[in-house]
Amino acid sequence: MKRRSFLGALGVGIASASTGGCGSTARLAALPEKLGNHGRFAGMPEDCRVVLDGSNDRLFGRIAFAALRREMDYAQRTGTTVGEANYLAISGGGENGAFGAGLLTGWTQLGTRPVFKGVTGVSTGALSAPFAFLGPDYDADLARVYTDSSAADIMTSRGLLVGLLGDSLYDSAPLRRMIRGFVTPALLAAIAREYSEKGRLLFVATTNLDVPVGVLWNMGSIAASGHARAAELFTEILLASASIPGILPPVMFDIEMGDKRYQEMHVDGGTVAQVVIYPPSLGGDDMLSDGTATPGLVEALMRRPRRLFVIRNARPGADPETVPRDTMKIADRAIATLIQSQGLSDLYQLYVIAQRDGIEYNVAWIPQSFTDRLNGPFDQAYMRSLFAVGRDTMLSGSVWTGVPPGFNAIPVHSMSPANRRGGTGPS
């Protein structure tokens, strides 16, 4: 979801204040620092998640090469070839997720949409990611989420007193019901097949607020686990990734360590990064460290073309406005600017990773020509209009750019004397 500021939402909460019970919900202690990231979910595979602080890079390498081995085995069984690898990263953006949804459906209509080797989603991108991963057969479901939903399908006000003395201003029960409605046995089974048989990967990012650190959840591994609570955990992860701190309640995950139980508090993945593909700390030394990567696997990885597509569900810059000399307005504008800048920085980080690892980089964002404004949270007319913009921009063939917004790929040191005489260089 779009990470609105707590102060901005507080203004809405004051306008709809009501009395009621209050008080924070008790919780178990967080996992002690000395235990690191070694807590486990009972019955879930050990590779069900990767912590994005560099400590799990070798685990991510094992996941990647194990998936490549399954992909190669599938190709051998079916008499096909292991072709290029296409990756999709979908950012946060709340209502603006309608842009990415429209883009994907337009891509289907264009007839050039690839089968993605890997898909990652953050916040609203997490809600899109399962549909994007499973492909065109799920376009209708994806479209419904972003063109038929309204604020009532996402959240309900708790009232000012309950909100301020509890853990959020709004209740996310409607969003949980929506997610649980599309996390069906059929959807889980389809994701599990793609993961187990073809080696395709689906990741969703949340933020462990206790540490704090970003976490990538291996949704294919969870779907294929056969665990009785797989659908519940899948749902809670998607909900956590979309839970804006202070606006929607955090999602608590129970962790077991021996005979002791702990809890982790997870919130919107965009708290750490608006969009992610894999940790920048991951390098060749991590990938080759434990012998999982045989020479044949390494060769197969290095010789295949790889392409990254990034959907940024935002415009590259905010609209200018006259900010009043008001504490709430100033703080709200500053926080919105910080979030906007963070999202842009994330695009640059992915660009650096792609350049380092020899991956073709493609990014799309909401065009500046889209000037509609929200009339309220999850304004259905706004989302439908933006969905159409995403679809039409894709169909026009002008959606992808090879560098992040504002980046000039021509090096300064390559300027010719003619350029310098023309005054095009820096002064």
Side-chain angles (χ1 to χ4, degrees), residues 11 25 42 50 78 90 92 105 119 164 194 221 242 253 255 265 321 363 402 409 424:
T25 302
V50 175
T78 57
I90 313 174
T105 58
V119 176
L164 291 180
E194 296 299 307
S221 178
F253 291 100
I255 302 290
M265 177 182 285
E321 66 176 68
V363 61
T424 57

Side-chain angles (χ1 to χ4, degrees), residues 78-124:
T78 57
T80 56
T81 59
V82 177
E84 65 184 14
N86 294 286
Y87 305 95
L88 176 67
I90 313 174
S91 84
E95 301 92 343
N96 287 341
F99 170 75
L103 185 154
L104 287 165
T105 58
W107 207 346
T108 298
Q109 294 177 42
L110 200 61
T112 59
R113 178 174 167 181
V115 175
F116 298 109
K117 165 68 176 178
V119 176
T120 61
V122 178
S123 197
T124 193

Side-chain angles (χ1 to χ4, degrees), residues 369-386:
S369 58
F370 180 76
T371 58
D372 291 17
R373 289 180 177 269
L374 281 165
N375 292 319
F378 302 96
D379 175 1
Q380 196 173 89
Y382 173 92
M383 291 192 292
R384 288 177 175 175
S385 177
L386 187 52

Side-chain angles (χ1 to χ4, degrees), residues 35-58:
L35 297 180
N37 300 311
H38 301 295
R40 292 286 175 258
F41 297 92
M44 287 292 171
E46 293 191 3
D47 65 354
C48 71
R49 66 181 193 167
V50 175
V51 180
L52 297 177
D53 61 358
S55 64
N56 284 173
D57 287 353
R58 292 184 179 183

Side-chain angles (χ1 to χ4, degrees), residues 38-46 48-49 217 222 225-230 232-233 253-262:
H38 301 295
R40 292 286 175 258
F41 297 92
M44 287 292 171
E46 293 191 3
C48 71
R49 66 181 193 167
W217 296 84
I222 293 169
S225 68
H227 195 283
R229 292 188 60 249
E232 180 183 346
L233 180 59
F253 291 100
D254 292 335
I255 302 290
E256 295 182 359
M257 194 67 188
D259 59 350
K260 295 185 177 179
R261 293 176 63 242
Y262 303 94

Side-chain angles (χ1 to χ4, degrees), residues 11 35-36 51 68 102 141 155 176 179 186 213 227 267 289 294 301 304 314 351 371 392 411 415:
L35 297 180
V51 180
L68 178 57
D141 296 311
M155 57 192 185
R176 177 183 275 108
I179 296 171
V213 68
H227 195 283
V267 297
S289 61
T294 64
L301 175 65
R304 76 188 309 190
Y351 181 73
T371 58
D392 295 344
M415 290 189 303

Side-chain angles (χ1 to χ4, degrees), residues 1-2 91-97 122-129 146 241-242 313:
M1 293 177 63
K2 190 174 182 180
S91 84
E95 301 92 343
N96 287 341
V122 178
S123 197
T124 193
L127 303 183
S128 302
Y146 287 98
S241 186
N313 288 309

